[in-house]
Each structure stands twice: as C-alpha cells, then as structure tokens.
C-alpha cells in the first residue's frame, strides 16, 4: 500500500514536469487498486482483532496500521487529484510559474517526507518519525507564501490565470500530503513508544475542549 501510494505520488510529479497526460490517466486508473488495498487492509485488521484479541504492542500495531492505511489512501486521492488537474489543462505549466511558486521543490519534499515515513516504519525508528515534523516545515512555508507568489506572477502574466489556479490547488494538496505524513509519523511513535502525540501541543498550553 505504502509503495503503491509512493508510486502514485512520483508518477503525478513526473506527469506535471513532462505534461504527460498518459501518466495522468494511468494514475486515475491505478487509484482503484489503492482503494481496494485500503479495504483489504481494513478487513485484515478487523479479522486480527476478532481472532487474536491483541494486547499491548500488538494492539497498538493494529490500531496504528488502521490509521496509517486511511492516511495513505488520502494521499493516493491527492495524487489522483493532481493527475485530474493535468488532464483538465490544455498546455504545460510555464517554468516561470513553477519557479515562482516553488511547486517542484515542494513536490520533491512531499515525496521525500512520505519516503521517510516508510523507512521509519520499516526500521521501527521513532527518531526518523520525529524528523517528519521538521521536514514538513518547508511545505508549510511554501503553502503559506503561495497566495502572494501567485498574485505576483499574475501581475505580469494575467493571461495565465488557469494555470496559476491549478498550481495553487496542487500546492494546497501537497500541504495536505505533509499533514497526512505527520499523522502517520504520530501513529508510528504511538505504536513503538505508546505515546499519543495528537493534540499534545494544545494540552501543554492548557487548552480544554
């Protein structure tokens, strides 16, 4: 599942760079297999609960897999969404637009972050998992500056508004790849260390529901 989703994200990156609509169509078709894998993993986890009633680290593992599975499926949806943008546009994105928005830099970092989560899971390395949070800062930085960068580009290229809006949408999607990857990293830490990181910053500040 992880490798499938990584493949989808890499293909969408290649499709964007080369404006390859054949790859984009392939991504849309393969997404059905990603969805099937999500359902299979869910069923396998449910069967494991029913047959073995796991406890301690085994229970945490299965709970983490269920949540990681869901996050991976959403990243697959994001790759499909990018592919559909490429299928909807009539011409390639201009190099100047890609440079101004730092879109390709963001794409490469998003792929690297997802690869890091996989390595962390395979090696059972929570230090690597925690590095995901640091690496996501770059995605947040590019996403935060996206509106201003797009507006600056459109001042000199008002005719390119369609591509600019597609680029902005892709940036928003890649920012969510970072968020999903952080969720996965949290689940890896939960599985290995029995620590729940979700909402921990709020609790430290004394926030209450």
């Amino acid at each position: 599942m992880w490798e499938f989703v990584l493949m989808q994200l890499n293909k969408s990156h290649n499709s964007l760079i080369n404006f390859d609509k054949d790859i984009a169509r392939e991504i849309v078709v393969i997404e059905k297999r990603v969805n099937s894998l999500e359902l299979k993993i869910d069923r396998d986890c449910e069967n494991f609960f029913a047959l073995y009633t796991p406890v301690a680290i085994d229970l945490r593992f299965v709970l983490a897999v269920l949540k990681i599975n869901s996050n991976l499926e959403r990243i697959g949806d994001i790759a499909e969404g990018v592919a559909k943008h490429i299928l909807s546009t009539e011409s390639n994105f201009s190099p100047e637009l890609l440079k101004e928005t730092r879109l390709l830099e963001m794409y490469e970092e998003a792929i690297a972050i997802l690869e890091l989560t996989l390595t962390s899971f395979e090696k059972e390395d929570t230090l690597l998992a925690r590095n995901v949070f640091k690496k996501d800062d770059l995605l947040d930085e590019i996403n935060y500056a996206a509106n201003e960068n797009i507006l600056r580009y459109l001042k000199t290229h008002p005719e390119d508004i369609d591509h600019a809006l597609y680029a902005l949408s892709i940036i928003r999607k890649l920012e969510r790849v970072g968020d999903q990857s952080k969720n996965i990293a949290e689940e890896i830490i939960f599985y290995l260390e029995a620590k729940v990181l979700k909402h921990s910053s709020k609790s430290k500040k004394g926030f209450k529901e």
Side-chain angles (χ1 to χ4, degrees):
M1 176 72 165
W2 225 308
E3 290 170 353
F4 240 128
V5 172
L6 262 172
M7 179 186 70
Q8 288 284 82
L9 204 58
N10 274 298
K11 282 187 174 182
S12 64
H13 179 230
N14 291 336
S15 180
L16 175 66
I17 292 174
N18 301 310
F19 194 60
D20 191 324
K21 292 198 173 189
D22 288 336
I23 293 178
R25 292 187 189 95
E26 186 179 323
I27 291 166
V28 174
V29 171
I30 290 176
E31 174 60 18
K32 295 181 179 66
R33 296 178 67 183
V34 174
N35 293 338
S36 296
L37 273 174
E38 184 202 16
L39 293 174
K40 180 186 183 303
I41 292 169
D42 274 351
R43 285 194 301 269
D44 288 344
C45 288
E46 289 166 3
N47 290 337
F48 195 83
F49 278 127
L51 294 172
Y52 301 105
T53 56
V55 296
I57 192 169
D58 293 330
L59 175 60
R60 296 200 306 273
F61 175 79
V62 181
L63 290 172
V65 166
L66 276 170
K67 293 183 179 179
I68 290 170
N69 186 39
S70 176
N71 283 288
L72 288 174
E73 191 277 332
R74 290 173 189 167
I75 295 173
D77 287 343
I78 289 169
E80 182 188 29
V82 173
K84 287 181 176 178
H85 282 334
I86 293 165
L87 291 172
S88 297
T89 188
E90 297 300 321
S91 58
N92 202 352
F93 292 81
S94 76
E96 187 176 348
L97 173 61
L98 296 177
K99 181 179 179 181
E100 187 73 37
T101 58
R102 300 172 67 188
L103 180 51
L104 297 184
E105 179 186 359
M106 190 180 194
Y107 228 122
E108 290 166 3
E109 189 69 5
I111 292 170
I113 288 172
L114 187 57
E115 289 174 341
L116 183 61
T117 64
L118 175 57
T119 303
S120 170
F121 184 76
E122 289 177 329
K123 293 186 175 181
E124 298 186 335
D125 189 330
T126 55
L127 181 60
L128 288 179
R130 284 181 167 86
N131 283 338
V132 170
F133 306 129
K134 298 176 184 176
K135 291 179 74 66
D136 182 59
D137 289 345
L138 177 61
L139 302 189
D140 291 339
E141 174 191 330
I142 295 173
N143 178 58
Y144 182 78
N147 285 347
E148 183 179 338
N149 291 337
I150 291 287
L151 287 173
R152 184 166 55 247
Y153 175 80
L154 285 175
K155 285 180 181 177
T156 54
H157 301 84
E159 75 288 349
D160 205 14
I161 188 169
D162 286 346
H163 279 159
L165 290 175
Y166 279 133
L168 182 60
S169 177
I170 293 171
I171 286 170
R172 299 294 190 241
K173 291 178 186 300
L174 293 176
E175 193 274 335
R176 290 199 293 275
V177 171
D179 289 342
Q180 303 294 344
S181 296
K182 285 194 295 184
N183 290 343
I184 291 171
E186 288 175 354
E187 293 306 323
I188 293 169
I189 294 167
F190 164 71
Y191 149 51
L192 293 169
E193 297 183 359
K195 292 181 180 177
V196 178
L197 300 188
K198 194 174 292 293
H199 308 309
S200 60
S201 61
K202 289 185 178 182
S203 62
K204 287 177 183 177
K205 294 176 182 179
F207 288 2
K208 296 181 179 178
E209 291 289 326

